Amino acid sequence: MAKEAAFRPGDEYIRIKVDRPREGVGRITLAMPQTRNAQDPRMLYEIDGAFTELGVDSEVKVVVLAAEGPDFSSGHDIKDLAGDNLKIPDLPVTTQSTDRGKTGIEAHMSFELDAFMGLCLRWRDFEKPTIAQVQGRAIAGGLMLVWPCDLVVATESASFRDPVVAFGANGHEYFVHTWELGHRAAKEFLFTGDAITAQEAKSLGMVNHVVAESELESFTLDLATRIATRPSIGLSMAKRSVNMSLDLQGQAQAVKNAFYLHQLCHAQHMAEHGLLVQPDGPDVVRKEIKRDTASF
């Protein structure tokens, strides 16, 4: 099978959809329900391209990030973790200055610096308000789409988890767990890999609203429409003020520090196992998710 071409700005979207469902509202929809919206690099760069497209559209004042299918996102596509771990996709570098001539763990770190942490930080500082519209499960990399958004609306049956400690790492690559959950809840969330419900997430301050599944789209669009009536400069400065407050608490520096600890974990597993992660980690996580599915 021929290798799929890398996404470049201006290319046709094949992993996502972009529309403008209400006046002043743009929407990006993950459109791979057959894989539970598992994220390969193509999808991530398409999302970034869509944010760029909507960011320069003066008619769009708020952006909704939604998903097709039963689950918001099952996270990074991990099917290749047992294969050629260090083969870096041919993708554009949009967020960091990265030398594609690197090899080994250094090359993989450069890729994750751009495609994972770099894109999350870029979306977190996107000038316009953003709302994550979440149904079903958001797992690990799925949280890396939810957490950069300004607001989160979730269905009553939605659940959230980061089981990456089972892979032998400190958590996924956008490490804002402490701010999203509080330090003690974040530790339990990471240590156990257990899912939390939408109501639990709301009680911790991670989710703004929990609604019935039948109301998810209309509630989210109504909220976005209300926000879109405010002046753009007021919205952007309010967003910047809150984000700068988080940075004064050390959030941005903590994210970067945790990212490099994550790379240390990859290097350890490559040295010990020849893989980026603990060999049994993916199977452990799959079994736990299958076991817990009936509970949500």
Side-chain angles (χ1 to χ4, degrees):
M1 182 180 296
K3 182 179 178 181
E4 184 177 69
F7 176 78
R8 304 293 184 203
D11 287 354
E12 180 182 0
Y13 302 123
I14 59 177
R15 300 280 198 273
I16 66 171
K17 297 176 181 177
V18 178
D19 67 341
R20 294 154 177 80
R22 297 271 186 92
E23 183 177 355
V25 180
R27 180 168 57 188
I28 303 166
T29 303
L30 312 183
M32 296 291 288
Q34 67 274 23
T35 64
R36 306 285 173 156
N37 295 308
Q39 308 152 24
D40 61 2
R42 170 91 193 202
M43 175 184 277
L44 295 173
Y45 281 94
E46 285 192 15
I47 294 168
D48 189 60
F51 271 120
T52 299
E53 174 189 333
L54 296 172
V56 299
D57 184 344
S58 60
E59 299 299 315
V60 171
K61 296 178 68 177
V62 180
V63 176
V64 172
L65 182 61
E68 293 182 349
D71 290 316
F72 180 81
S73 176
S74 59
H76 296 321
D77 189 339
I78 62 173
K79 66 178 181 297
D80 292 330
L81 284 179
D84 189 354
N85 280 262
L86 298 179
K87 187 174 182 180
I88 308 305
D90 177 23
L91 290 166
V93 177
T94 58
T95 64
Q96 304 285 344
S97 176
T98 305
D99 177 5
R100 288 307 195 203
K102 295 175 181 176
T103 59
I105 281 292
E106 186 181 20
H108 187 82
M109 181 179 71
S110 292
F111 164 69
E112 290 198 353
L113 179 68
D114 189 67
F116 296 160
M117 184 185 72
L119 288 179
C120 286
L121 290 172
R122 178 177 168 94
W123 301 335
R124 181 257 200 185
D125 289 330
F126 181 71
E127 186 174 26
K128 300 174 181 182
T130 55
I131 306 174
Q133 176 185 303
V134 182
Q135 79 281 4
R137 294 171 292 187
I139 302 172
L143 293 173
M144 294 172 64
L145 302 180
V146 175
W147 284 352
C149 290
D150 300 309
L151 306 179
V152 181
V153 180
T155 63
E156 294 166 337
S157 60
S159 65
F160 307 86
R161 74 191 307 156
D162 182 3
V164 173
V165 168
F167 292 178
N170 53 333
H172 65 59
E173 295 87 351
Y174 180 58
F175 203 93
V176 293
H177 303 64
T178 306
W179 283 267
E180 294 290 346
L181 303 171
H183 73 284
R184 295 201 188 281
K187 288 176 181 177
E188 183 173 352
F189 186 67
L190 289 163
F191 293 168
T192 66
D194 290 344
I196 60 173
T197 66
Q199 288 291 355
E200 289 171 328
K202 185 174 186 295
S203 71
L204 292 167
M206 193 193 105
V207 166
N208 295 85
H209 301 281
V210 178
V211 301
E213 187 166 355
S214 61
E215 299 174 3
L216 178 63
E217 180 179 9
S218 60
F219 184 96
T220 304
L221 290 178
D222 287 346
L223 177 60
T225 301
R226 286 174 53 205
I227 294 170
T229 64
R230 301 296 198 222
S232 295
I233 189 169
L235 291 171
S236 64
M237 291 304 107
K239 175 170 181 169
R240 289 176 189 274
S241 296
V242 174
N243 284 1
M244 289 173 69
S245 297
L246 293 172
D247 287 342
L248 288 169
Q249 295 171 19
Q251 187 186 82
Q253 200 62 37
V255 169
K256 293 173 184 177
N257 180 67
F259 174 81
Y260 290 111
L261 294 176
H262 188 99
Q263 301 310 309
L264 174 63
C265 295
H266 282 326
Q268 167 66 21
H269 295 305
M270 284 300 298
E272 189 171 359
H273 309 295
L275 299 170
L276 286 169
V277 300
Q278 185 79 16
D280 64 349
D283 286 337
V284 168
V285 170
R286 289 187 188 102
K287 289 177 183 178
E288 290 180 350
I289 292 171
K290 184 176 181 180
R291 180 198 67 202
D292 292 348
T293 297
S295 302
F296 293 95

